[in-house]
Amino acid sequence: MMSKPQLESITKSTRLQKRIMAAQGKLPADLVLRGGRVVDVFRGSLIQADVALYDGIIVGIGDYQGPTLEVAGQIICPGFIDGHQHIESTMLSPPEYAKSVVPRGTTAVIIDPHEIVNVLGAPGLDYMLSFHDRLPLDLFIMLPSCVPASPLETNGADFGPAEIRRYRSHPGVLGLAEVMNYPGTLAGAPEVLEKITLFTGGVIDGHAPLLSGLALNAYKVAGIGSDHECTELSEAEEKLARGFYLMLREGSQAKNLADLLPAMTPASLRRTMLVTDDCHPNDLLQRGYIDYLIKKAVTFGCSPINAITMVTLNPAEYFRLLDRGAVAPGYRADLVVLNDLVDFRVDKVFKNGQLVAEGGTLTDSSVLVPAEFPHSAMHVANFSPQALALPVTGEVVKVIQLLPGQLLTEKLVLPTPGAHGLVQSDPEQDLLKLAVVERHRGTGNVGLGLVRGFGLQRGALASSVAHDSHNIIVVGANDQDMFVAVQHLISCGGGLVVAVDGKVSAALSLPIAGLMSPAPLPQVAAEHAALIEVCHSLGVALPDPFMALSFLALPVIPALKLTDRGLVDVNRFQFVPLFGPD
């Protein structure tokens, strides 16, 4: 009797033999896409040709027999790949995310689940990994490198070298996710380097905003392969010159494509990718996903084929997914049929040779079987209105200044807005109180500060989405509404909320770790849009104030941020006093 490995080897050999025969036309194809123009990402051209599919792969380009699908006048290109995405940013569960992006041409996504892992630890990662091979797209994971993201905040779990070692051989894992602790990398912090060396010779993503010169050299020596945090053209060009793959980010909050696209030249094309990083539900519903990035790159002067290459072959090769990313023999039959190279409207999507989406919808939604999801525990201790009181102890105060369309902030030093010995929000000067309330370990920590750039005149906004530790963050024109907003999130298990005149005005529940909803995209987007509309009625001018709010607690992107433990000067990577110029 043959062993199981022997049987598997024979089965693979037989399948390969049949594929070879189909490629020679000795067996009929399962499907022939006839009459279309094929995007040749290897040569940067379009070719008129038929495409033959057999056993889930492309077996040939040319004249083949078999069942035929006419695609005359249409464009056949590889399935789109998002090389860097946090699904949590869509506020959708993985099944609902797949339902939303596959009809738009995305057939694979590489995610960094550090949001849910920072909240729940290994159970959060298990939840995401459970969908690796259960969706009509391939969901690959880069293991979070920064849980906790920094020692400057309180998160919900630890995910260190031992945990990373346990998961690194999972078939859904590709490498190590963005190494945000670049100061620790450069300082040779033992735990950071231990995580990196677990993937020596493998794929390690970077996260190093504005890093330059000798420090950038050192970061590359550590084994980092990519960066998605560039905001300036010179920064992008330097990182390309040092051997990094450049991820051009165009998300819901950070929009860097226009500034960075000139870094993509004929010589550097094969080292660049288009990625979303974050994509909020309204953007996903209204503008699109990777299809939108392609179209936008073209409007900025990129050729259509180059734009397609940056979301197909380039990420496939960088992440060593060498069986996809091109329309060529031997590659997976993950294909997108476009109507043209102007609007980039997706007509059909094939996954492993099967038609999975047509006309903007999945052909069979029954494949999206939801998994039991982990709820978010709210361990908030001793929170009361007094926790928001901030005594005036200085004539000047440091203020976080929002920068529209950026994750970066600036540091301002302004006269302290106060009354009766306490710091007060001053909506007329666009100075609002900001608080971060620890929600994981019951520490009772409440970080307090000031922010400018929201324009809020009344009420308060609060969210349990606050990168990367996802404590509760709240900004408001008065303490009472801030308190009401936070209390609502504690009681409902997380989400987004607006409170006005002591009452909840609008809310979106996010019961999956306080980050995601199991509801479908149209419902989540509608509830989110209602929140934004209320915000705008209260004076907020930002397109998405909750997205802006969510990054004000992220102490790994300069310059000034607030965590549950206090005000952080990110450039110095240390806490600084709220009052005083330094």
Side-chain angles (χ1 to χ4, degrees), residues 11-51:
T11 300
K12 289 180 180 179
S13 178
T14 301
R15 288 185 68 185
L16 179 58
Q17 183 182 40
K18 289 184 176 181
R19 287 176 174 181
I20 292 172
M21 292 177 67
Q24 298 176 81
K26 295 179 179 179
L27 286 177
D30 292 334
L31 182 67
V32 179
L33 303 181
R34 198 176 304 283
R37 289 181 293 164
V38 175
V39 174
D40 177 358
V41 292
F42 299 115
R43 298 183 302 158
S45 63
L46 279 176
I47 57 175
Q48 186 76 40
D50 298 342
V51 180

Side-chain angles (χ1 to χ4, degrees), residues 28 124 169 349 377 413 456 469 471 492 567 575:
S169 61
V349 181
V413 178
L456 183 70
S469 290
N471 290 301
C492 75
L567 194 64
F575 294 109

Side-chain angles (χ1 to χ4, degrees), residues 363-394:
T363 55
D364 183 7
S365 294
S366 67
V367 299
L368 302 177
V369 180
E372 182 178 350
F373 60 80
H375 289 265
S376 174
M378 284 286 176
H379 300 297
V380 179
N382 305 319
F383 185 70
S384 67
Q386 288 69 39
L388 297 170
L390 180 59
V392 174
T393 60

